[in-house]
Amino acid sequence: MTPASPSGLGWPVLVALVAGSLCAAGGTFLLKLGANGATALFDYVNMRVFAGFALYGIGSAAWIFAMSRAPLSVVYPFNALTFILVMAAGMAVLGERPGPAVIAGSLMILGGIGCIAIGSLA
C-alpha cells in the first residue's frame, strides 16, 4: 500500500476526488428522480434508484483511492463539492432556485475547497 503523501494531493488524487464527487452527486440526483412520486415501498425499486446506487459505488472506489494516497484532512473536505454539484443539478434540471444565503454559502464552500486544492497540490 502506498502511504498518504505528506504534501497532500497529486493530480491523480485530485482527479479521483472530483470524479468521486461527480459520481456521488449523480447518484444523489438519480435517487431523487427515482423517488419522485413514489407512494409505496416497491415504487422505490426502479432503474434510477439502482443507477444511483451504482454511481455511489463507483464514487466510493474513487474516494478510497484518494484516501489511500493523501491525508484525510485534505481528502475529506472534497465531500462538500458534492453539495454544490447536487444543487447545480437541481437548478439546471429541476428548476430549483436557491436563495441568496444558499448561494453565498456555496461560494464559501467552493472557496474553501479551492484553497485546499491549491495549497495541497504536490
Side-chain angles (χ1 to χ4, degrees), residues 9-121:
L9 301 176
W11 285 105
V13 174
L14 183 59
V15 169
L17 290 171
V18 172
S21 292
L22 285 167
C23 287
T28 298
F29 194 72
L30 285 171
L31 291 174
K32 164 68 173 159
L33 293 177
N36 274 350
T39 56
L41 179 61
F42 286 106
D43 291 341
Y44 296 99
V45 180
N46 60 64
M47 287 308 296
R48 288 179 174 165
V49 169
F50 289 133
F53 284 136
L55 277 177
Y56 266 115
I58 294 167
S60 293
W63 284 107
I64 292 167
F65 171 83
M67 287 188 290
S68 73
R69 286 164 174 74
L72 191 58
S73 61
V74 173
V75 170
Y76 197 72
F78 278 82
N79 274 320
L81 181 56
T82 303
F83 304 133
I84 305 302
L85 295 170
V86 169
M87 182 184 71
M91 292 170 63
V93 178
L94 301 177
E96 296 179 358
R97 296 291 170 239
V102 173
I103 298 294
S106 298
L107 291 173
M108 286 188 256
I109 289 171
L110 284 174
I113 292 170
C115 289
I116 291 167
I118 290 167
S120 298
L121 281 173

